[in-house]
Amino acid sequence: MSRDNPPLGILLMLGFCALAPFGDALAKIVGDRVPLVQLVFLRFAIQAAILAPLVAASGRDWRYPRGVMARIALRTVFHIAGIGFMFSALRVLPLADAIAIAFVMPFILLLLGWLLLGEEVGPRRIAACAVGFAGVLMVIRPAFQEVGAAALLPLGVAVTFAAFMLTTRTIAREVDPVGMQAVSAGMAVVALAPVLIFGPPGTLDWSAPTGVWGIVLAMGLLGTVGHLLMTWSLRFAPGATLAPMQYLEIPFATFYGWALFGDLPDGMAAAGIAVTMAAGLYVILRERATSRAARQVRAATLPPPPPAE
C-alpha cells in the first residue's frame, strides 16, 4: 500500500482515537462484573480470533527468528500488564482522568529512549516533560483525594506501555505488524489461560448476565479494529504527522465519560489535562523540527552529483 496519502492516514488515525477510548469505556462498564484476569484474557482471545484467520487468509508471515520471537514475547508481557493496569484503573477512576494520566507515557518514552537507546533529547524537550508531569499531577491530586493510591494505576499504564512501545520500535522493521499482533495475542492467551484455570477462586466466573458478554465481545472487537486502524494509518502517513492526533483520545474519552457515566473532570483536573496535552504536543512538534533540521544537515553535507556528460 502507498505511504503517500496523508488525508487517508489522518482519517484512519481519527478512527483509532474514537474507537480506543470507547473500548475502554466498555471495559469500565463490565469491570465490576467480570474478574480482571478473565477480562484481560478475553480481550486478547478476541484479538487472536479476529487476526489469526486474517493472517492465514492473507498469507502473512507469522514465523519469525528466535530473537524476534523473544522480543515479541517481551512486548506481550508489557501489553498484558498495560491493559491490566488500565482495566484496574477504570474500575475506580473516571474515564477521561484515567486516560489523561496515562498520557504521561510519551514523556516516559522520550526519557527511556534517551537513557536506554542513546536518543538525543534537548533541554527544551526535557522541560516540556517536566511540565507534562506537572499537568498529570494536577489530574492525579483530586483523584488521589477521592480514591487513594488507586489514582496511580494509570501511571502503571504509562510505564508499561512506554516499555511496550520501545520494544515494538526494536522489531517494527523486521515483522509484519498484523502478523506480529496475531502472534502476540496468541502468546497472551497461552500465558493467561493457566492463571484462569489454576488461579484462586473468583479468577474465572461465567455467571454475569448474557448482555455483559456482548459488551465484552464489542470491547475486544473495538480494541482489535482500533489497533489495526492505527497500524494502517502509518502506511499512508508518517508518524510525525499522525502523532499529535493521538491526543484526540482525551476529548473523545471526556465525551464518552460524560455520555455514559455522567463524569466530567473538575476544574483542577481539566486544567491538568490541558497542560498535559499542551506539553505533549510541544514535544511532538520539537521532534518534528529536530528531525527536519537533521535531514537538512544531511542533505547539505552530501557530495554534489557528478556533472552530466
Side-chain angles (χ1 to χ4, degrees):
M1 288 188 291
S2 171
R3 292 177 181 270
D4 189 21
N5 195 340
L8 179 56
I10 290 171
L11 183 63
L12 291 170
M13 180 58 77
L14 180 62
F16 166 77
C17 292
L19 292 183
F22 190 47
D24 289 336
L26 296 181
K28 182 174 178 63
I29 291 174
V30 300
D32 60 348
R33 305 180 189 182
V34 180
L36 176 63
V37 176
Q38 185 176 359
L39 190 60
V40 177
F41 171 85
L42 290 172
R43 162 65 179 81
F44 284 104
I46 294 167
Q47 178 176 325
I50 294 171
L51 295 185
L54 178 61
V55 169
S58 61
R60 296 173 183 269
D61 191 14
W62 57 270
R63 291 165 292 188
Y64 305 115
R66 183 176 300 175
V68 173
M69 291 295 280
R71 281 178 284 168
I72 293 177
L74 180 61
R75 175 185 182 272
T76 301
V77 171
F78 291 135
H79 201 182
I80 292 172
I83 289 181
F85 276 124
M86 177 58 83
F87 286 178
S88 298
L90 291 172
R91 295 182 178 214
V92 295
L93 291 175
L95 179 64
D97 288 9
I99 291 180
I101 295 170
F103 257 92
V104 76
M105 186 268 288
F107 311 128
I108 295 175
L109 184 62
L110 185 72
L111 296 176
L112 288 179
W114 173 45
L115 295 173
L116 301 180
L117 302 181
E119 297 178 349
E120 185 176 351
V121 178
R124 283 183 284 186
R125 280 182 285 175
I126 294 291
C129 287
V131 172
F133 278 113
V136 168
L137 291 176
M138 292 170 66
V139 182
I140 289 177
R141 182 179 176 184
F144 193 89
Q145 291 174 342
E146 184 173 346
V147 302
L152 302 178
L153 286 169
L155 294 180
V157 179
V159 172
T160 52
F161 268 106
F164 168 84
M165 293 297 292
L166 275 180
T167 308
T168 301
R169 186 182 297 179
T170 67
I171 56 178
R173 296 182 180 180
E174 304 176 50
V175 300
D176 172 73
V178 177
M180 177 181 64
Q181 291 185 63
V183 170
S184 183
M187 288 179 172
V189 168
V190 171
L192 291 171
V195 181
L196 281 182
I197 296 171
F198 302 109
T203 304
L204 183 64
D205 183 6
W206 297 103
S207 63
T210 303
V212 169
W213 303 115
I215 296 175
V216 171
L217 178 62
M219 175 202 72
L221 179 63
L222 287 174
T224 303
V225 173
H227 278 83
L228 287 176
L229 290 178
M230 180 178 63
T231 301
W232 287 330
S233 72
L234 292 169
R235 295 194 174 199
F236 292 103
T241 300
L242 300 174
M245 293 191 60
Q246 292 185 333
Y247 279 89
L248 290 175
E249 285 188 56
I250 297 178
F252 273 115
T254 302
F255 171 75
Y256 297 142
W258 168 75
L260 297 176
F261 310 107
D263 293 332
L264 282 174
D266 64 16
M268 178 173 289
I273 289 172
V275 169
T276 303
M277 291 178 65
L281 291 172
Y282 175 80
V283 167
I284 292 168
L285 292 175
R286 285 299 305 163
E287 292 278 359
R288 294 174 64 177
T290 302
S291 298
R292 188 183 307 115
R295 288 196 300 269
Q296 291 172 349
V297 170
R298 287 195 298 268
T301 56
L302 289 175
E309 296 182 358

